[in-house]
Amino acid sequence: MLVDTGSGDRAIERSAQACHRGRSATPCAECAARPVSVCSALAVPELRELEALSQHLTLDKGQALFRQDEPGDAVYNVIEGSLRLTRLLPDGRRHIMGFALPGDFLGLALAERHAVSAEALGPVLTCRFGREDFAALLEAKPHLLRSLHARTGAELMLAQDQMLLLGRRTAEEKVVAFLLGLRNRYARTGRSSVTVELPMGRQDMADHLGLTIETVSRMLTRLDRAHLILIVPGGVRLLDVERLERLAAS
């Protein structure tokens, strides 16, 4: 169950502040998430238009950026931190659809209501853009719209990969594919490392992969004992990427 932070007076709304306040002339140009974000399509002079529409929102661990079925009145760019994207099923079960990392845009579908809830796994910083303002910017910047379409296509491929992940693979293959996929996502943000940070808990991994927490723990222990990974505080170290990739592809 997600932590309830309230609706009309959520803490993230109280902490919202204008992005341009007290900052340099082109802060978006210096944003670490820009190279992997939709806004990378904009030239530096165009970024000032984006900045004029944006607000910074900060979250603490457990706070919701938005909740399932709330009006989709904004889009968000994740600058720092990570969030889990959760959907409550009609029978009350929770399914984790995925995890948002720096560079990810949330709410790009511009749907009337959010299909998922987005909850911070730790301290999070995002940029918020009003839906109507962002839609007007897309109309005025066709190259930004093309970037959005490319990102949407990539997200569709990830959704298809998730269907495969939950379908025919064994529990061990699911865990390995998840770790490799997370490693690749980190690499795209410039965080290339043999150690894969796991901001989500094992229960979150289990809910995402359609497994039990006991199975996830058992698979990680098995991989550790096989010297394929090394479990370290806050994540895992990938000791034999080639063998892991062969296992995930089997």
Side-chain angles (χ1 to χ4, degrees):
M1 185 67 68
L2 295 177
V3 177
D4 187 4
T5 59
S7 54
D9 59 348
R10 290 179 300 175
I12 59 169
E13 295 177 359
R14 293 197 301 268
S15 63
Q17 52 186 310
C19 260
H20 61 272
R21 185 179 304 162
R23 292 160 54 192
S24 60
T26 57
C28 282
E30 301 168 2
C31 175
R34 182 188 172 221
V36 290
S37 295
V38 170
C39 52
S40 63
L42 297 177
V44 172
E46 295 175 303
L47 292 175
R48 292 187 177 89
E49 300 178 55
L50 189 68
E51 293 166 13
L53 304 177
S54 65
Q55 287 182 312
H56 266 174
L57 298 180
T58 59
L59 297 170
D60 293 324
K61 181 178 180 180
Q63 289 185 310
L65 183 62
F66 53 78
R67 294 192 179 280
Q68 182 177 336
D69 294 327
E70 283 186 349
D73 57 356
V75 298
Y76 306 87
N77 187 19
V78 182
I79 306 302
E80 299 174 4
S82 55
L83 305 99
R84 61 179 165 225
L85 308 179
T86 305
R87 178 176 294 175
L88 290 178
L89 304 178
D91 60 5
R93 290 180 299 163
R94 180 185 79 159
H95 179 64
I96 295 181
M97 308 299 293
F99 301 94
L101 302 177
D104 288 342
F105 258 77
L106 303 177
L108 283 178
L110 299 181
E112 291 294 331
R113 294 186 176 276
H114 292 294
V116 299
S117 298
E119 182 186 26
L121 293 169
V124 167
L125 173 65
T126 73
C127 268
R128 178 190 185 277
F129 305 92
R131 174 179 177 175
E132 293 183 1
D133 290 337
F134 192 76
L137 187 66
L138 290 176
E139 186 174 350
K141 309 288 183 185
H143 47 302
L144 181 60
L145 182 60
R146 288 193 294 271
S147 180
L148 187 152
H149 285 164
R151 175 57 64 92
T152 302
E155 290 179 352
L156 178 59
M157 292 182 63
L158 287 174
Q160 292 171 339
D161 289 344
Q162 175 68 6
M163 291 176 63
L164 176 62
L165 187 63
L166 296 178
R168 298 180 178 274
R169 283 177 166 163
T170 66
E172 185 177 54
E173 291 166 353
K174 289 180 180 181
V175 171
V176 170
F178 174 77
L179 295 177
L180 291 175
L182 198 57
R183 169 182 174 266
N184 292 339
R185 292 182 67 191
Y186 283 140
R188 287 196 291 271
T189 66
R191 299 166 60 189
S192 183
S193 172
V194 295
T195 300
V196 176
E197 180 185 351
L198 295 176
M200 68 292 294
R202 294 189 180 185
Q203 184 64 64
D204 289 340
M205 291 176 59
D207 289 348
H208 179 56
L209 298 174
L211 302 172
T212 65
I213 187 173
E214 293 81 10
T215 299
V216 168
S217 296
R218 188 167 63 251
M219 293 304 104
L220 289 173
T221 299
R222 178 190 295 181
L223 294 169
D224 184 278
R225 289 176 176 171
H227 305 293
L228 294 175
I229 68 171
L230 176 65
I231 300 173
V232 297
V236 298
R237 186 168 299 162
L238 306 186
L239 301 179
D240 194 332
V241 174
E242 290 186 2
R243 286 177 61 193
L244 290 169
E245 288 176 339
R246 288 197 298 269
L247 181 58
S250 62

